[in-house]
Amino acid sequence: MDLAVCAPVSMWWWWLAFPVSISSICLLINVHPRNWPMCNVAAGAMFAVFWTLVIHLQLETIGPVVSAFVLGLVGNVWGRLFRRNAYSIMLPGIMLLVPGSVGVRGIMSMFGGSETGSGAQLVSQMAQTSLSIMIGLFASSFVVHPHGKKLSALITV
């Protein structure tokens, strides 16, 4: 095998593996099977926004915020329509968003041998990503109020 002529797998394969990975996460965290299609829809919308902003437009700073906002928006709309808790719908997408935002960059800098991949920078990226996801989910809960919460006590997602 000649490694000089190897090409990475096309990014279109991500879309084929995506439903399998989300369904696997749903199985791992015991999401009821009737909610699996909606988990795929919510996480698919989140991933489409993340892919567009981060891969195509190179907007790495606002990608996780807007992606978490879209995920929270879709989850809260679903929760309002079906009068159920939206957290079970959003959790597989959040589990996919966290490593996509932090882990890949940290691993690539570690294996790439760059000097900028220090431990302090990884901690800073982790804090930035967790705050970005929190801000996106929090903002989506103000746009579409989650089912089951009182309007005056809206502090968490």
Side-chain angles (χ1 to χ4, degrees):
M1 177 194 242
D2 186 15
L3 295 178
V5 294
C6 287
V9 176
S10 172
M11 284 202 239
W12 294 106
W13 283 99
W14 292 3
W15 292 101
L16 292 176
F18 184 78
V20 175
S21 65
I22 291 297
S23 297
S24 299
I25 291 172
C26 289
L27 184 66
L28 177 72
I29 61 174
N30 291 329
V31 175
H32 196 278
R34 72 171 176 252
N35 294 336
W36 288 13
M38 194 57 209
C39 287
N40 276 304
V41 169
M46 179 270 311
F47 186 68
V49 170
F50 187 79
W51 191 33
T52 302
L53 291 176
V54 174
I55 305 277
H56 292 296
L57 300 176
Q58 277 83 33
L59 298 173
E60 295 177 2
T61 55
I62 65 166
V65 176
V66 178
S67 300
F69 178 77
V70 168
L71 179 66
L73 203 64
V74 172
N76 288 335
V77 166
W78 178 85
R80 285 302 239 176
L81 290 176
F82 293 102
R83 300 197 185 280
R84 295 193 183 174
N85 188 2
Y87 186 68
S88 64
I89 298 300
M90 293 188 290
L91 188 59
I94 293 170
M95 290 179 69
L96 191 70
L97 185 60
V98 171
S101 300
V102 174
V104 175
R105 278 188 249 152
I107 295 296
M108 291 304 287
S109 67
M110 211 165 57
F111 288 128
S114 66
E115 296 296 324
T116 60
S118 67
Q121 184 181 9
L122 184 61
V123 169
S124 171
Q125 284 179 350
M126 288 172 54
Q128 178 186 4
T129 300
S130 63
L131 288 172
S132 298
I133 293 170
M134 182 192 68
I135 289 169
L137 291 175
F138 194 63
S140 71
S141 68
F142 279 115
V143 173
V144 177
H145 188 71
H147 173 72
K149 295 208 180 234
K150 294 183 180 184
L151 287 174
S152 62
L154 182 64
I155 295 179
T156 62
V157 176

